[in-house]
Amino acid sequence: MLKRALLGLLAVGLLSQSVQAEQAKIILSTENFPPYNMATNGKNFAREDSIEGIAVEVVQEMFKRAGVEYYLALRFPWDRVYKMALEKPNHGVFSTARTPEREKEFKWVGPIGPDDWVLLAKADSALVVNSLEEAKAYTIGAYKGDAIEEYLLQQGIEPKSSFNDKTNVDKLQKGQIDLWATGDPAGRYLAKQEGVTGLKTVLRFNQAELWLALNKETDDAIVSKLQGALDQMRSEGFVDKTLNKYLQ
């Protein structure tokens, strides 16, 4: 009886350890947001090694150094990806802007890379815009659910938003929008992929950085390990080297 009881306790202990290990595994989601995160085949769903980009390489190295297990998937649309990280324990999302409105909704690791907010016009555009107030006179394209769209709405601007930021490149070229509200360098990189170069920066209206957002129930010890690993990577030049690999 004693032997059977001990075996039962051992089984329970092993099951508990297994559950804890599974709970510690972070489920990471991202989206097509070149050059930071993108599917190698250009599609809207990919897993693990089929995902590449600046943020992907930084995040993968960060988790490896921190010794934290993870699963990575690229999904669509962004609203759903964001909501998963917001509502589900041990979930995270990147790359996303760390705004005052989002500050208390997640635990943050970063920054991963720069992402200034700009209004872009066609290369031959003669538009001159000195403020967002002046920009209200024009049709502005944005990415639905993105922090930039949220900011524009707060400023009283109703952008003509698309579910895929790539669509805005085509809209701009066809004259369906006058200006494209996007990130820099992400917007230029995306446009280049679509064969569009020389876009004109009409207004730079915010300086932002991209972060990894983790569900607020994520263990603080995990967050600390990840941030420590990223800080070390930055001091060693890993982050800058990865940025230059894609942007130069």
Side-chain angles (χ1 to χ4, degrees):
M1 288 289 291
L2 178 59
K3 182 177 180 181
R4 185 178 300 173
L6 288 173
L7 288 173
L9 288 172
L10 178 61
V12 170
L14 290 173
L15 177 61
S16 176
Q17 290 177 8
S18 176
V19 170
Q20 289 175 2
E22 181 65 28
Q23 288 177 339
K25 190 171 186 176
I26 304 298
I27 308 301
L28 295 174
S29 297
T30 189
E31 59 163 346
N32 271 316
F33 182 54
Y36 286 102
N37 9 279
M38 47 198 170
T40 56
N41 59 11
K43 295 184 178 180
N44 284 322
F45 182 79
R47 296 183 182 134
E48 301 289 347
D49 294 338
S50 297
I51 311 170
E52 62 182 359
I54 297 168
V56 172
E57 291 193 21
V58 170
V59 168
Q60 287 176 328
E61 179 69 15
M62 180 171 62
F63 271 78
K64 179 182 176 182
R65 293 194 186 198
V68 177
E69 291 189 37
Y70 70 94
Y71 170 79
L72 173 61
L74 182 147
R75 308 173 190 273
F76 179 84
W78 171 253
D79 286 352
R80 191 184 82 173
V81 171
Y82 183 88
K83 187 176 181 182
M84 286 171 59
L86 185 65
E87 298 179 350
K88 294 186 177 184
N90 291 324
H91 277 64
V93 64
F94 70 94
S95 305
T96 189
R98 184 176 181 174
T99 64
E101 295 76 21
R102 295 175 174 179
E103 183 65 33
K104 294 182 180 180
E105 294 183 337
F106 298 98
K107 291 183 179 179
W108 300 89
V109 179
I112 295 171
D115 186 48
D116 288 358
W117 296 356
V118 296
L119 293 179
L120 297 180
K122 293 172 64 175
D124 59 355
S125 174
L127 289 181
V128 176
V129 177
N130 297 307
S131 67
L132 286 180
E133 187 63 32
E134 291 184 11
K136 291 180 180 180
Y138 303 99
T139 303
I140 301 174
Y143 181 21
K144 190 169 181 61
D146 184 62
I148 297 176
E149 184 207 39
E150 292 175 3
Y151 183 79
L152 292 177
L153 289 170
Q154 291 169 6
Q155 303 305 309
I157 296 175
E158 293 281 348
K160 190 175 181 180
S161 300
S162 300
F163 284 101
N164 189 324
D165 211 19
K166 186 186 297 184
T167 305
N168 287 313
V169 180
D170 187 53
K171 285 182 176 179
L172 188 64
Q173 292 301 102
K174 290 180 178 179
Q176 296 172 358
I177 56 176
D178 302 311
L179 298 166
W180 174 25
T182 186
D184 186 26
R188 293 180 185 279
Y189 186 92
L190 179 58
K192 185 178 179 180
Q193 282 191 317
E194 296 301 298
V196 177
T197 58
L199 294 180
K200 178 182 176 183
T201 302
V202 173
L203 181 68
R204 191 173 298 272
F205 60 95
N206 191 27
Q207 288 185 312
E209 291 179 304
L210 297 171
W211 294 67
L212 164 65
L214 296 169
N215 181 273
K216 60 184 179 182
E217 293 186 25
T218 304
D219 190 330
D220 286 338
I222 290 177
V223 179
S224 180
K225 284 181 180 179
L226 292 170
Q227 187 63 60
L230 179 59
D231 291 344
Q232 182 184 45
M233 289 160 57
R234 180 168 284 106
S235 68
E236 293 174 0
F238 182 96
V239 176
D240 286 341
K241 184 179 178 180
T242 305
L243 279 165
N244 291 333
K245 173 182 171 182
Y246 284 88
L247 298 178
Q248 288 186 348

